[in-house]
Amino acid sequence: MALLVQKFGGTSVADPDRMRAVADHVARTLKRGHQVVVVISAMGKETDDLLRLAQEVSSTRPGREMDMLITAGERKATALLCMALHDLGVEAESFTGSQAGFITDSTHMNARIIEVRPDRVRKALDEGKVPVVGGAQGVSIDKNVTFLGRGGSDTTAVALAHALGAEVCELYTDVSGVFTSDPRVVDNARKMDRISFDELLEMTANGCPKPAMRSVEYARTHGVNLHVRSAFTWEPGTLVTKTAASPDGSDDMEQAIISAVVYDLDEAKITIAGVEDRPGIAGRLFRALADRNINVDMIVQNTSEQGHTDISFTVPRSEVERAVETSRALQTELGARAVTYDDHIGRVSVIGAGMKTHPGVAATVFETLAANDINIEMISTSAIRISCVVDEDTVERAVQVLHDAFELDKGPALAD
Ligand code: ASP
Ligand code: MG
């Protein structure tokens, strides 16, 4: 008998039939002798609908009231699922995030979990009930309802699995697992049986939309095993665990050289040409951007020629205007010749923990892009990732040819 946290996303509970199908799955899991705690998202597109409604009603949208509004979606879903479970003879009890013990900071619309005290959830379990917890919500230290942000239900599920010491946190969604690439772009993208926390974290940080990045970070930090799987076919999905490369070496799984190719079309590139090459320039520029809360991703600085150099960096597209404005305001002070930007770029990233011990991966990436006449505008790397910024129109092709070059459709090529 194991304790499982089962999280169901919005599409999994989009209508009454889906809600009953989920209840049925929970009931069958119990019959196999397991204990289940459910975390649930708002039904279908309800979160988007509530956001739209707020926009139509108000131009100010105070954070406290936004959180109260948005979290209502999950709260409704918890009660409905409990009703469906009761119909199947399963005792269930709904909990808001606050009732389930989620204490957060008071950053409305994007609250951070400070602590989870799941006493009531544990008590319900001890009484043989299925606790059904509203995702993406908590209560702040000053006792206001808070929303953990878009995709926050994944984080709720992982945090609860950790707090309860659950064996695994199952994230049920509308795809059957984590794929080697976006199946909408790569026909022969393959569902992976298994992937490491580190690799999935790089994937979510570089364009893979699900699971939510924060939840993967939380799972990695606390060693919560994840199982990303489908609430439509119910087939086994992708396990997310540590690997042989993890510090405690607790797992001797063989490591693929390259696991996935992901892309991000949500960035823009800014170039500051001809800044003076002296200490303090980069600090001045990036402090100014940070002070305006602009998230900078890639940064490239050239070697200087005759005392001047170029700095390029990327930011989310939604922040490009503010970033250009901030940079232009500093142009004279930095001694820069020009500030230009390009918001028709995309970032393609190849990810694999095995590249750490396997030379030549970067060369293969660059040669493959070159052979397909795709120009690389910027490059950045981590220990397990190589990213290239390319023209927006070449992104899909770049993803396809790299997926082919590393034969990701065939199953993992293993590192030594
Ligand atoms: N319903 C919220 C959203 O769509 C929270 C979640 O499902 O994770 O962002
Ligand atoms: Mg969702």
Side-chain angles (χ1 to χ4, degrees), residues 275-277 301-310:
V275 297
E276 287 172 31
D277 187 21
Q301 179 179 319
N302 288 340
T303 44
S304 72
E305 256 178 72
Q306 282 138 17
H308 284 81
T309 180
D310 301 336

Side-chain angles (χ1 to χ4, degrees), residues 53-228:
L53 200 54
Q55 218 149 26
E56 281 167 17
V57 167
S58 159
S59 59
T60 52
R61 299 189 289 282
R64 182 185 184 279
E65 306 313 325
M66 285 301 287
D67 285 14
M68 192 66 122
L69 175 74
I70 301 302
T71 52
E74 275 76 15
R75 180 170 172 165
K76 277 162 65 179
T78 59
L80 289 165
L81 182 65
C82 285
M83 293 179 197
L85 285 165
H86 277 272
D87 282 9
L88 298 174
V90 174
E91 275 201 80
E93 226 167 57
S94 59
F95 294 98
T96 65
S98 166
Q99 290 173 325
F102 279 80
I103 320 291
T104 74
D105 68 11
S106 46
T107 319
H108 288 295
M109 293 302 282
N110 197 23
R112 297 249 147 203
I113 298 170
I114 293 172
E115 202 190 336
V116 186
R117 296 184 200 146
D119 307 347
R120 292 184 67 179
V121 174
R122 213 173 259 127
K123 181 161 173 286
L125 273 175
D126 291 345
E127 292 167 1
K129 295 173 184 159
V130 174
V132 178
V133 178
Q137 53 186 272
V139 62
S140 64
I141 0 208
D142 44 5
K143 298 207 161 49
N144 285 310
V145 169
T146 50
F147 178 54
L148 304 187
R150 300 312 305 265
S153 295
D154 290 347
T155 311
T156 298
V158 173
L160 202 50
H162 171 59
L164 295 169
E167 188 151 306
V168 59
C169 177
E170 300 184 327
L171 301 173
Y172 288 88
T173 172
D174 50 5
V175 289
S176 55
V178 181
F179 282 72
T180 51
S181 195
D182 183 348
R184 289 168 302 185
V185 170
V186 179
D187 288 340
N188 55 3
R190 182 178 48 81
K191 186 184 84 185
M192 291 179 266
D193 293 330
R194 198 158 169 181
I195 189 165
S196 66
F197 292 128
D198 288 344
E199 288 166 303
L200 185 58
L201 192 57
E202 286 277 11
M203 286 176 72
T204 57
N206 290 282
C208 174
K210 279 181 195 172
M213 180 163 86
R214 259 170 78 184
S215 72
V216 180
E217 261 177 325
Y218 204 106
R220 180 178 70 160
T221 305
H222 299 286
V224 178
N225 293 330
L226 304 180
H227 186 177
V228 181

Side-chain angles (χ1 to χ4, degrees), residues 271-277 281 302-312 327-341:
T271 301
I272 307 188
V275 297
E276 287 172 31
D277 187 21
I281 294 284
N302 288 340
T303 44
S304 72
E305 256 178 72
Q306 282 138 17
H308 284 81
T309 180
D310 301 336
I311 296 179
S312 291
S327 306
R328 288 208 169 127
L330 288 175
Q331 194 171 328
T332 318
E333 188 184 330
L334 303 179
R337 200 171 63 241
V339 175
T340 54
Y341 72 95

Side-chain angles (χ1 to χ4, degrees), residues 307-359:
H308 284 81
T309 180
D310 301 336
I311 296 179
S312 291
F313 57 94
T314 63
V315 296
R317 268 187 206 177
S318 57
E319 291 173 13
V320 67
E321 269 174 38
R322 291 196 308 130
V324 168
E325 211 180 277
T326 308
S327 306
R328 288 208 169 127
L330 288 175
Q331 194 171 328
T332 318
E333 188 184 330
L334 303 179
R337 200 171 63 241
V339 175
T340 54
Y341 72 95
D342 180 353
D343 56 3
H344 293 283
I345 57 155
R347 186 158 39 101
V348 180
S349 305
V350 163
I351 290 155
M355 75 169 71
K356 273 193 277 207
T357 53
H358 200 91

